[in-house]
Amino acid sequence: MKKNFMYTLLLMLCSFSIFNAQTTEDKKEISIAVTDILKGFQTKNGDIMNQYVNPTYGVGVLFKSGGDLGFVLNEDVNLNMSLGYIQKVWNIRNQSPIQFDTAFEYDLNNKKWKKEGLSVQFNSNAVNAYANKFLSQYSVKDQKIFKINSNPKNVVFVTLAENSKENAPINGFRFVMTKIDGKWFLTFIDVTEHDAE
């Protein structure tokens, strides 16, 4: 009986170690990718960001216009792509360390983040939540870019929450990364905090 207990305990410890090793590896890969993506956006260097764009799925930009959710799908990140009024004043400092599994909330009324920082949320259901908010005439859930994000275990949601008086209401940067064939890719850029109207 004592022997069985020891084997069970040993098996549990080994399983836990393997799980932690995978999570540690994911954190390492994501940390590098997040740093690169933010650096690419900060320096307006699309080439840095595009090394994280999957050529099969591309990258979607989620936005709001007149209160309605919309998105455009691009083959890659082109920093000359139309982000309308946002593009002219959008700058980031990117000086915060990564905090895993911390959420930052945006105050739409005051057009600023309640707390600043850089957050990476594992097991994110963000893309499914977006898909549910589209008007019924848009069948976004059938599109490949949404389908690959349907399993939250393969999705992380990154938020760089920064408040800037001179750039308000354009503060920070949000994006989604998805694990595809064992590698993390940039799949969505989220500009939904900033309604065009």
Side-chain angles (χ1 to χ4, degrees):
M1 180 75 159
K2 192 173 185 180
K3 212 179 221 184
N4 285 343
F5 175 74
M6 292 299 285
Y7 285 128
T8 304
L9 184 61
L10 184 61
L11 183 62
M12 285 175 57
L13 287 173
C14 288
S15 298
F16 184 70
S17 297
I18 291 168
F19 177 75
N20 269 350
Q22 291 170 342
T23 302
T24 301
E25 187 61 32
D26 281 337
K27 283 184 178 180
K28 181 180 173 185
E29 289 175 20
I30 288 169
S31 295
I32 292 167
V34 166
T35 301
D36 285 347
I37 290 166
L38 289 173
K39 181 181 178 186
F41 188 77
Q42 186 176 27
T43 60
K44 307 301 184 241
N45 184 337
D47 292 339
I48 295 173
M49 299 173 80
N50 283 327
Q51 66 183 327
Y52 296 100
V53 175
N54 184 290
T56 301
Y57 298 100
V59 60
V61 178
L62 294 154
F63 63 91
K64 274 190 181 175
S65 180
D68 292 329
L69 188 61
F71 97 103
V72 292
L73 184 61
N74 299 295
E75 290 180 10
D76 57 13
V77 176
N78 176 352
L79 291 169
N80 294 319
M81 66 184 159
S82 176
L83 294 176
Y85 70 103
I86 293 173
Q87 192 169 5
K88 297 172 189 170
V89 294
W90 202 353
N91 293 304
I92 59 172
R93 295 185 308 273
N94 187 23
Q95 297 172 338
S96 300
I98 294 175
Q99 298 176 50
F100 287 96
D101 295 321
T102 302
F104 294 104
E105 198 175 336
Y106 191 76
D107 182 347
L108 284 171
N109 293 330
N110 294 315
K111 299 198 182 307
K112 67 178 192 174
W113 295 96
K114 293 183 178 180
K115 183 181 174 186
E116 293 183 289
L118 176 57
S119 161
V120 174
Q121 293 173 280
F122 278 94
N123 302 314
S124 175
N125 201 34
V127 177
N128 290 329
Y130 289 131
N132 291 333
K133 290 180 184 175
F134 277 89
L135 297 174
S136 57
Q137 63 259 36
Y138 302 119
S139 57
V140 296
K141 289 182 183 180
D142 296 334
Q143 296 189 28
K144 289 192 297 184
I145 191 82
F146 282 89
K147 283 183 177 181
I148 60 157
N149 283 282
S150 62
N151 183 352
K153 290 180 181 178
N154 296 325
V155 179
V156 294
F157 190 56
V158 181
T159 302
L160 176 63
E162 294 181 336
N163 291 319
S164 170
K165 290 180 184 174
E166 61 272 6
N167 291 337
I170 313 306
N171 301 305
F173 186 55
R174 288 179 133 178
F175 57 94
V176 173
M177 295 192 71
T178 309
K179 195 169 195 176
I180 304 168
D181 298 329
K183 184 178 174 190
W184 289 97
F185 289 96
L186 171 66
T187 49
F188 282 100
I189 295 173
D190 174 0
V191 296
T192 58
E193 304 296 352
H194 321 294
D195 198 324
E197 295 183 23

